[in-house]
Amino acid sequence: MRTAKISDAVVRRLPLYLRILDQLAVHEGPDASLSSQELGERAGVSPALVRKDLAWFGEFGKQGVGYDVQYLRTALRKILHLDKEIRIALAGVGNLGLALARYHRRRYLSEPEFHLHIVALFDNDPAKWGEEIDGVPITPMSQMPEMVRRLGIRMGIITVPAEAAQEVANQMVRSGVRLILNFAPATLSLPEHVHVATADLSVELQRLSYYLDEDEASPVPH
Amino acid sequence: MRTAKISDAVVRRLPLYLRILDQLAVHEGPDASLSSQELGERAGVSPALVRKDLAWFGEFGKQGVGYDVQYLRTALRKILHLDKEIRIALAGVGNLGLALARYHRRRYLSEPEFHLHIVALFDNDPAKWGEEIDGVPITPMSQMPEMVRRLGIRMGIITVPAEAAQEVANQMVRSGVRLILNFAPATLSLPEHVHVATADLSVELQRLSYYLDEDEASPVPH
DNA sequence: TAGATTGTTAATCGATTAACAATC
DNA sequence: TAGATTGTTAATCGATTAACAATC
């Protein structure tokens, strides 16, 4: 793929487009198509932006018709590398980690085309070692390098407390993981070649609460 | 507050600044100060941007010195409305919802200055009704309008399956909630005056997986 | 063919950075 | 005072939108 250097803003929208196509692929017939107008509406972006985003990767549409749902869906899955299994390690099997592990594992087992696969769970609490969550055993953090190599793990999810997050991230990177989804309320500092996505729930709630007193007086129809 | 109309990009960074100040307030003395340079480094943004972001809300710094940690922290908490209790409803008490509810409730109980408070849990499964999670009972969705009014709920968290998300969001808005954090893999369409933050875990993972095959050949020191 | 919609270029808009006078 | 760092303006950069020729 000759992708010059696609901006992060573009990449961020691709999964949204894909999700819409996934839904249409189920609900509509096999040769449904949709315009950039329709896709934009459902994704909450302008039609021009949809066309520009997709054009970075090739010519997927037909003038006067739009985009073939199945074809574009397959293309996006390939672009996002979602056409093959992606193996994931999760570190920190507390409340949140446990819930995420179960949630994902079930999706993996029930949706044949869902290829994000949590194959290893790590925790520093010896009391948890050996315990299995839906068939995946909990392992000491120290075994991460070996497990990553052996199982071909490419992605890490961090659900440890904030204080431990940086150290766990370092351990992941040392083990060869370059893609990290961080749930801990901490800003990680990592080498440039590592991509970090943040999913900090408190930050999102705090951001929302900024808008609390906005426009409180205006009439609300109901 | 005479806030002209602060851009979303700015608001998004405020909680990051606040988190750093929270940490410093604990670890440093009570009259520590820090420069836009230091704050920027820790937050991962440029010093100029830190100064510009803060300047939207007032003059918090001293030339030649920087920002007083306590003072700026208090100011940011006020700007984000985090100085008073914010009551939250959570809809969908499955794996994820349960974990989030527990996680937040414990933070609320253990940190005296953490004012985000989940006070109601909703679910459509009659088998769950009446069950209590850390003291908060699970209630039928139909009681949402009354509960929101009675308990002064201002924010909603959605952790129901994707198919139910839009309907639950509508119900929240009808009940008077204007701030929604959505964990369901669905794009919600809601009135303009409602603010929605998205925390879609699969989307984040899919976004990361775009970078999978990047630069695989380059040498990694270890 | 006529109508619709793409892919793409140019114009606009907004956000970030650079630079510096003011001042602690 | 001299050094450091703010608040702010002007310059730059990048992302989105508008517009339209190409074409299904």
Side-chain angles (χ1 to χ4, degrees), chain A residues 191-206:
Chain A
E192 270 215 44
H193 70 271
V194 178
H195 289 267
V196 179
T198 314
D200 185 332
L201 317 176
S202 301
V203 160
E204 286 300 311
L205 288 173
Q206 291 179 349

Side-chain angles (χ1 to χ4, degrees), chain B residues 143-196:
Chain B
Q143 291 188 26
M144 203 185 286
E146 194 223 315
M147 298 277 282
V148 166
R149 202 176 333 107
R150 186 152 57 78
L151 299 176
I153 289 166
R154 312 284 300 278
M155 224 184 244
I157 298 177
I158 296 181
T159 45
V160 301
E163 314 82 68
Q166 180 66 56
E167 202 196 332
V168 168
N170 293 345
Q171 170 82 320
M172 281 183 174
V173 173
R174 273 198 305 272
S175 305
V177 171
R178 288 162 172 232
L179 305 176
I180 293 175
L181 178 54
N182 177 35
F183 283 87
T187 307
L188 303 177
S189 89
L190 292 171
E192 269 214 45
H193 69 272
V194 178
H195 289 268
V196 179

Side-chain angles (χ1 to χ4, degrees), chain A residues 22 40 64 83 89 92 109 116 133 144 149:
Chain A
D22 282 343
D83 51 341
L109 293 173
L116 297 166
I133 309 300
M144 204 186 285
R149 201 175 335 107

Side-chain angles (χ1 to χ4, degrees), chain A residues 44-56:
Chain A
V45 306
S46 76
L49 191 51
V50 169
R51 294 202 297 278
K52 202 158 201 295
D53 284 346
L54 297 177
W56 286 101

Side-chain angles (χ1 to χ4, degrees), chain B:
Chain B
M1 218 159 287
R2 181 143 294 287
T3 50
K5 169 54 186 167
I6 311 294
S7 102
D8 214 63
V10 174
V11 174
R12 196 174 289 276
R13 285 186 293 266
L14 299 181
L16 298 182
Y17 300 152
L18 177 58
R19 193 170 65 193
I20 290 160
L21 294 166
D22 282 343
Q23 286 163 1
L24 289 176
V26 174
H27 294 303
E28 312 274 316
D31 36 68
S33 68
L34 88 172
S35 63
S36 59
Q37 170 81 47
E38 296 171 289
L39 184 48
E41 252 166 44
R42 287 168 186 265
V45 306
S46 77
L49 191 52
V50 170
R51 295 201 297 278
K52 202 157 203 293
D53 283 346
L54 298 177
W56 286 101
F57 301 96
E59 307 198 353
F60 302 105
K62 261 204 188 68
Q63 281 99 330
V65 181
Y67 300 89
D68 180 89
V69 171
Q70 288 298 354
Y71 181 68
L72 184 56
R73 175 168 181 266
T74 304
L76 277 179
R77 284 173 61 84
K78 195 156 209 164
I79 289 165
L80 290 168
H81 304 108
L82 298 172
D83 51 342
K84 303 200 197 81
E85 176 162 302
I86 296 170
R87 299 196 172 166
I88 304 176
L90 183 146
V93 193
N95 265 324
L96 185 62
L98 188 59
L100 291 179
R102 289 214 171 108
Y103 175 80
H104 257 89
R105 184 137 187 88
R106 280 171 199 185
R107 252 189 106 175
Y108 176 77
L109 293 173
S110 68
E111 297 178 28
E113 290 183 303
F114 188 81
H115 290 153
L116 297 166
H117 189 187
I118 294 181
V119 295
L121 300 170
F122 295 98
D123 204 289
N124 262 339
D125 179 0
K128 293 180 182 162
W129 295 345
E131 190 187 323
E132 289 197 0
I133 309 300
D134 289 336
V136 180
I138 301 177
T139 316
M141 295 275 188
S142 58
Q143 291 188 26
M144 203 185 286
E146 194 223 315
M147 298 277 282
V148 166
R149 202 176 333 107
R150 186 152 57 78
L151 299 176
I153 289 166
R154 312 284 300 278
M155 224 184 244
I157 298 177
I158 296 181
T159 45
V160 301
E163 314 82 68
Q166 180 66 56
E167 202 196 332
V168 168
N170 293 345
Q171 170 82 320
M172 281 183 174
V173 173
R174 273 198 305 272
S175 305
V177 171
R178 288 162 172 232
L179 305 176
I180 293 175
L181 178 54
N182 177 35
F183 283 87
T187 307
L188 303 177
S189 89
L190 292 171
E192 269 214 45
H193 69 272
V194 178
H195 289 268
V196 179
T198 314
D200 185 332
L201 318 176
S202 300
V203 160
E204 287 300 311
L205 287 174
Q206 291 179 351
R207 181 170 86 73
L208 275 177
S209 68
Y210 169 79
Y211 300 100
L212 253 184
D213 282 341
E214 192 179 71
D215 207 21
E216 211 52 67
S218 80
V220 189
H222 51 210

Side-chain angles (χ1 to χ4, degrees), chain A residues 120-124 128-130 137-144 147:
Chain A
L121 300 169
F122 296 98
D123 204 290
N124 262 339
K128 292 180 181 161
W129 295 344
I138 301 178
T139 315
M141 295 276 188
S142 58
Q143 291 189 25
M144 204 186 285
M147 299 276 283

